[in-house]
Every structure is written in C-alpha cells, then in structure tokens.
C-alpha cells in the first residue's frame, strides 16, 4: 500500500514538473513562429491524450478520432468566419462564389461567438455519445468497432468534401482574422495563444489522470482486461465504454478548436484517414497506457516530422514506419516503458541496498 501511495505521488510530481517546464517556454522563446509551432504540438498532445484514455485505459481502439477533431475544428472556423461578417455582408465569400444568396440555417447559430464555441464542442461530443451508445449496446467491440469508426470517418470526410457551398469543400475554411472573445483578440503567434492551449492541455491531462485513478477508471480498466467478467458482476459495460469514448471525443473536439485558433484554417484533411491513424501511432509510440507518454509521443513524432520531413520528404514515412515497427516489437508499451523500467531498477536497487533493522536481510518491498 505504501509503494502504491508513493508511486501515485511520484507520478503527480512528474506531471507537475512537466507542465511547469512547458509553462515557462514563452519566457524563453522570442521567435513567434516557433512559439506557434510549440502551441500546435500542444494540440497534437491533446489528441494523443484522448487516444490514450480511449484505447490505453478503455481498451477501445478508435481509428476515427478525426471525426471529433474535425467537427470541433469546423465549428471553430465557422465561429471565427462569422466574426468577420457584418450585417450588411453576412454571407462568407466562398458561399457567394457557390451561388448562395442567403446564409444557410446551419451557419446562423455561429453568428454568436458564445453559442458557436458551445456548438463546436457539444456537437462532436454528442455524436460520440450517440454513436458510442449504439455501438456498445450492440456489443460491437475490438477490431469491429475500429472498422466502424474508420467507416464513419470516411463518411464524414466525403460529406465535408462534397458539400462545398456549405463547407468550402476541398479548399476548406480560412477565417481572415484572429479569434476574438469579447474585447480580447488572441493572436495565434502570441504567448497568450500558447498559454490558452497549454492551459487546456494541462487541464485535460489532470482531469484524465483523476478519472483513471478513480473507481470509475478502475472499472473501465477492468472492462478493458475482461469485459465479460465485469458484466457478470453487474456493471453496465456499455455505459462505461460510452462515457470513456465520449470524454475522449470531448478532448479531441477542444483540440480541434485550438487548432483553428492557431492556424486559422481547416480542411477535409483534418478528417483524413491517415491523420487519425497518425494519432494512434503517436499514442502507441509514446505508450498508450501512459497519459504523459502519449503526449510525449506526439511531441517527438511531430517535432521530428517538422524538422526532418522537409529533408527526407516521402522517405520520412518509411522512417516513421520503421520506428513504429521497432517500438511495437521491442517496446510494446511504448517509450514510456523505458522510464518505468528505469524507475523499477532504481526501486529494486534501493530495496536491496537498504539494510534490515536487525542488520540481517534487506527489507522486502511493500
């Protein structure tokens, strides 16, 4: 029991140190472009975190996380686009180019910034709750659920691409001005934008950590390991799976909003299959059973792509694939397992080197 308490305390200490270090970056970086890039890594970290919660702790392999991310991103882009429209010119230019002479009903709620933000987060979260509820009550799980999320992702991608007059089609949406909330304009290249993303990432991580350590989280992990046994004990397996899948979608939706705030652009590429698969790869390489490991996996992979992708071009995909194979083969629990092994060795060394009170054998670990 003592070791469990100390392990939890050590984990929280590592989380606090990690986010304290991230919070000081704007104080040390004067390059606004680099700061914006680090902020986008925070968005990727949120996505990896959402997959870690859903797949690593819930045992639900979601290959369609781009749905929640993309819907959140489009909701934010629509909100930012309508902030630039006036009463005399309420219709975005791309709609006029597609022969629309009135603002579609779908866009009208986004004329209110507050309502637009609520819809940007609530719509994908509600979708996850409904879709997850239907699937899990039908006991669709494992690879079958993964295939269903992939099919649903492809459907959303096609809809966004084909409904060009309403979504911008392949060109996407490009809000011409930075996001403004009340009297505050958030420059995407400013420390303010970075701290907004950093604060949301930290809040989502701490909240997720609390969930995994709660009784709800313990039951969810038990379902991951043996759903039938948990169902036999009287728990609503479908209910637990739906909740964890919905929370994961909520985090991804928030990440989508942050993405558009930083890059001022969204397109069907955010719902592309390859992007959703990349999110799973980040979590797998970092360690899907570790929240912090998944975040670091996203940082490492996307950071490497930013600085090596232009050098190796298409070869970068081969490098990433090779790295993924090596990690899966030799480190099935991801890079986070290296840290866990290091701490394990230190604990064993400390235990074996500690003399017993009577000068005999060392005290056993609790």
């Amino acid at each position: 029991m003592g070791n469990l308490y100390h392990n939890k305390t050590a984990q929280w200490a590592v989380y606090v140190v990690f986010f304290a270090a991230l919070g000081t970056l704007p104080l040390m970086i004067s390059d606004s472009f680099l700061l914006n890039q680090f902020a986008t890594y925070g968005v990727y970290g949120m996505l990896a975190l959402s997959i870690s919660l859903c797949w690593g702790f819930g045992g639900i392999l979601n290959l369609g996380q781009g749905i929640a991310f993309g819907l959140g991103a489009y909701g934010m882009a629509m909100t930012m686009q309508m902030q630039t429209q006036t009463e005399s010119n309420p219709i975005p230019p791309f709609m006029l180019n597609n022969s629309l002479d009135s603002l579609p009903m779908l866009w009208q709620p986004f004329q209110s910034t507050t309502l637009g933000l609520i819809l940007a987060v609530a719509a994908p979260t509600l979708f996850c709750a409904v879709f997850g509820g239907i699937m899990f009550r039908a006991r669709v799980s494992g690879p079958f659920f993964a295939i269903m999320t992939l099919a649903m992702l492809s459907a959303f991608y096609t809809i966004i691409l084909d409904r060009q007059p309403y979504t911008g089609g392949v060109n996407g949406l490009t809000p011409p001005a930075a996001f403004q909330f009340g009297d505050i304009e958030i420059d995407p290249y400013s420390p303010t934008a970075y701290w907004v993303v950093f604060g949301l990432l930290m809040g989502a991580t701490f909240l997720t950590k609390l969930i995994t350590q709660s009784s709800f989280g313990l039951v969810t992990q038990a379902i991951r390991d043996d759903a039938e046994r948990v169902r036999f004990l009287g728990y609503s397996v479908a209910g637990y799976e739906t909740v964890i899948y919905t929370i994961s979608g909520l985090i991804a939706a928030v990440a989508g909003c942050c993405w558009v705030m930083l890059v001022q652009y969204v397109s069907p590429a955010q719902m592309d299959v390859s992007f959703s698969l990349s999110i799973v790869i980040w979590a797998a390489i970092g360690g899907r059973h570790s929240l912090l490991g998944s975040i670091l996996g996203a940082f490492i992979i996307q950071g490497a792509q930013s600085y090596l992708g232009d050098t190796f071009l298409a070869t970068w995909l081969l490098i990433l694939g090779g790295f993924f194979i090596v990690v899966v083969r030799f480190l099935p629990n991801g890079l986070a397992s290296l840290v866990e092994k290091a701490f394990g060795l230190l604990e064993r060394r400390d235990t074996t080197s500690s003399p017993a009170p009577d000068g005999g054998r060392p005290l056993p670990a609790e």
Side-chain angles (χ1 to χ4, degrees):
M1 187 68 180
N3 275 351
L4 180 61
Y5 172 78
H6 290 304
N7 286 341
K8 286 186 177 181
T9 303
Q11 288 177 12
W12 280 105
V14 170
Y15 278 62
V16 170
V17 171
F18 174 75
F19 282 105
L22 287 183
T24 60
L25 279 181
L27 305 177
M28 299 181 291
I29 298 176
S30 57
D31 187 340
S32 59
F33 176 81
L34 184 60
L35 190 61
N36 177 268
Q37 190 174 45
F38 280 135
T40 58
Y41 293 161
V43 173
Y44 299 140
M46 271 189 266
L47 287 171
L49 173 72
S50 68
I51 287 295
S52 177
L53 175 65
C54 185
W55 181 32
F57 289 89
I60 304 168
L61 178 55
N62 179 10
L63 300 181
Q65 195 69 316
I67 296 175
F69 177 75
L71 289 177
Y74 268 93
M76 183 66 164
M78 292 163 72
T79 301
M80 292 173 62
Q81 179 67 51
M82 294 310 297
Q83 286 184 339
T84 64
Q85 303 301 136
T86 62
E87 292 185 5
S88 59
N89 184 27
I91 306 177
F94 78 91
M95 291 185 183
L96 296 174
N97 294 335
N98 284 277
S99 303
L100 290 182
D101 54 6
S102 63
L103 187 68
M105 185 179 298
L106 175 66
W107 277 73
Q108 291 177 8
F110 295 93
Q111 292 176 311
S112 167
T113 298
T114 303
L115 183 57
L117 288 176
I118 293 174
L119 288 175
V121 175
T125 304
L126 180 61
F127 166 80
C128 290
V130 174
F131 176 75
I134 294 174
M135 291 293 105
F136 297 129
R137 289 185 185 281
R139 298 194 180 184
V140 177
S141 60
F144 301 103
F145 181 80
I147 292 172
M148 289 300 297
T149 58
L150 202 59
M152 189 61 67
L153 175 65
S154 299
F156 270 95
Y157 177 87
T158 302
I159 292 172
I160 295 294
L161 193 63
D162 288 349
R163 306 306 294 171
Q164 181 171 324
Y166 306 95
T167 64
V170 69
N171 296 320
L173 302 177
T174 309
F179 176 65
Q180 186 167 342
F181 190 78
D183 297 328
I184 303 174
E185 183 177 273
I186 302 178
D187 182 353
Y189 295 93
S190 67
T192 302
Y194 174 89
W195 276 319
V196 168
V197 175
F198 159 77
L200 290 171
L201 173 62
M202 181 175 65
T205 304
F206 286 175
L207 176 62
T208 304
K209 186 67 174 174
L210 289 172
I211 291 174
T212 59
Q213 291 184 344
S214 66
S215 58
F216 174 86
L218 294 177
V219 174
T220 301
Q221 293 173 66
I223 292 173
R224 174 198 64 194
D225 298 332
D226 194 336
E228 288 304 319
R229 178 174 295 181
V230 176
R231 188 178 284 111
F232 178 77
L233 293 174
Y235 290 94
S236 173
V237 171
Y240 278 85
E241 290 177 328
T242 301
V243 170
I244 210 71
Y245 176 67
T246 302
I247 295 174
S248 172
L250 170 63
I251 296 172
V254 172
C257 293
C258 292
W259 166 265
V260 176
M261 182 187 71
L262 293 173
V263 303
Q264 293 182 232
Y265 175 70
V266 64
S267 74
Q270 276 64 63
M271 289 188 177
D272 189 68
V273 170
S274 61
F275 182 70
S276 289
L277 294 179
S278 296
I279 303 172
V280 175
I281 291 176
W282 303 339
I285 290 178
R288 62 188 175 98
H289 296 295
S290 169
L291 301 178
L292 196 58
S294 298
I295 294 172
L296 288 173
F299 288 179
I300 292 170
I301 299 303
Q302 288 305 108
Q305 181 174 349
S306 297
Y307 292 97
L308 299 179
D310 293 338
T311 302
F312 293 98
L313 299 178
T315 310
W316 163 250
L317 296 177
L318 296 177
I319 296 174
L320 177 60
F323 185 55
F324 177 68
I325 292 172
V326 169
V327 170
V328 171
R329 172 61 182 84
F330 297 102
L331 295 171
N333 291 325
L335 298 176
S337 61
L338 292 177
V339 179
E340 294 173 356
K341 289 179 181 178
F343 276 110
L345 290 174
L346 289 175
E347 284 184 1
R348 284 196 293 271
R349 187 169 65 180
D350 290 343
T351 301
T352 55
S353 63
S354 299
D358 59 357
R361 292 180 300 174
L363 291 172
E366 294 182 2

